Amino acid sequence: MTPEEVGQRMVALLAPAEATLSVSGGQAHARATVDVPPASWPEALRAARDDAELACDFFDWLSAVDELAEGFDVVAHLWSTTRRHGLLLRTRVPRQSPAVASVVDVYPGAAWHERETHEMFGIDFVGHAGLRPLLLPPEFEGHPLRKEFVLASRAAKPWPGAKEPGESEAGGGRRPIRPPGVPAPGEWGAVPTPAGAAGAGEGPRGGV
């Protein structure tokens, strides 16, 4: 099946729920991408697994993308070992209360991925029995893959990278450019919440 055919089949299986089809880039590696409502998330993954034409029997990965005021996109990549095609499923959850049903009962391999996504983005996977810390120490505050999270280590010491072209060891030359994750002067300690994202702060490390 072509990526378009994979996506069209997924959309048909979810009807009458609203699902939107697109195709990722990558030429020969392009994938059907289907956006589904949060309420249809478990149903979509189960349909992709059980449908004879899609037969997505292999769970590859699950993560999220921070879209700031628009919320978070939860993304799952599935693969069919018999049909040799892939499928990206995506759903958007609101920033104020980011939650979606767990799919561990559909793909047990999703358990680790949901734990990591919960830890890094603060998204709750309802029904997951063990959303405990996976990579960070228990005392860590905030969710480091949210875009408003300040990288404290970069603010605490100078950027270790190479100097900009034209800069001498004694300084001068081009105006220094702040590296990604380093707040502007006066911003460290309390980072403004993205526009329209009231209540998304993470305390002293990640904003107010």
Side-chain angles (χ1 to χ4, degrees):
M1 298 174 72
T2 66
E4 291 82 3
E5 291 171 337
V6 170
Q8 289 166 1
R9 178 63 179 172
M10 186 76 254
V11 170
L13 289 171
L14 293 176
E18 293 186 6
T20 305
L21 165 65
S22 59
V23 177
S24 71
Q27 299 176 353
H29 302 286
R31 295 284 182 269
T33 302
V34 179
D35 290 278
V36 305
S40 302
W41 182 243
E43 177 189 353
L45 273 79
R46 185 173 287 106
R49 183 194 66 182
D50 296 343
D51 179 68
E53 293 186 31
L54 294 180
C56 292
D57 55 339
F58 180 75
F59 174 87
D60 192 359
W61 54 261
L62 179 148
S63 190
V65 179
D66 186 348
E67 298 293 352
L68 295 175
E70 297 180 11
F72 298 94
D73 282 340
V74 179
V75 186
H77 182 208
L78 311 176
W79 179 257
S80 173
T81 59
T82 56
R83 302 286 187 173
R84 310 300 295 173
H85 57 233
L87 171 63
L88 280 169
L89 288 174
R90 188 168 56 189
T91 193
R92 178 164 293 179
V93 296
R95 193 176 198 90
Q96 291 77 8
S97 55
V100 70
S102 172
V103 293
V104 171
D105 62 332
V106 183
Y107 292 102
W112 187 95
H113 299 255
E114 289 183 353
R115 283 177 64 190
E116 181 189 37
T117 304
H118 171 74
E119 188 173 36
M120 294 295 169
F121 292 93
I123 298 170
D124 186 24
F125 291 89
V126 180
H128 193 297
L131 290 177
R132 58 190 182 278
L134 179 70
L135 303 174
L136 303 173
E139 66 274 11
F140 193 90
E141 299 177 11
H143 306 290
L145 290 188
R146 287 191 173 195
K147 288 182 178 177
E148 78 268 16
F149 188 87
V150 173
L151 299 179
S153 61
R154 292 190 180 180
K157 61 183 179 181
W159 175 245
K163 290 183 175 293
E164 288 290 309
E167 288 185 322
S168 68
E169 292 298 325
R174 293 187 179 183
R175 178 175 58 84
I177 299 175
R178 284 189 293 115
V182 176
E187 288 186 359
W188 170 244
V191 179
T193 301
E202 300 301 335
R205 294 194 182 197
V208 294

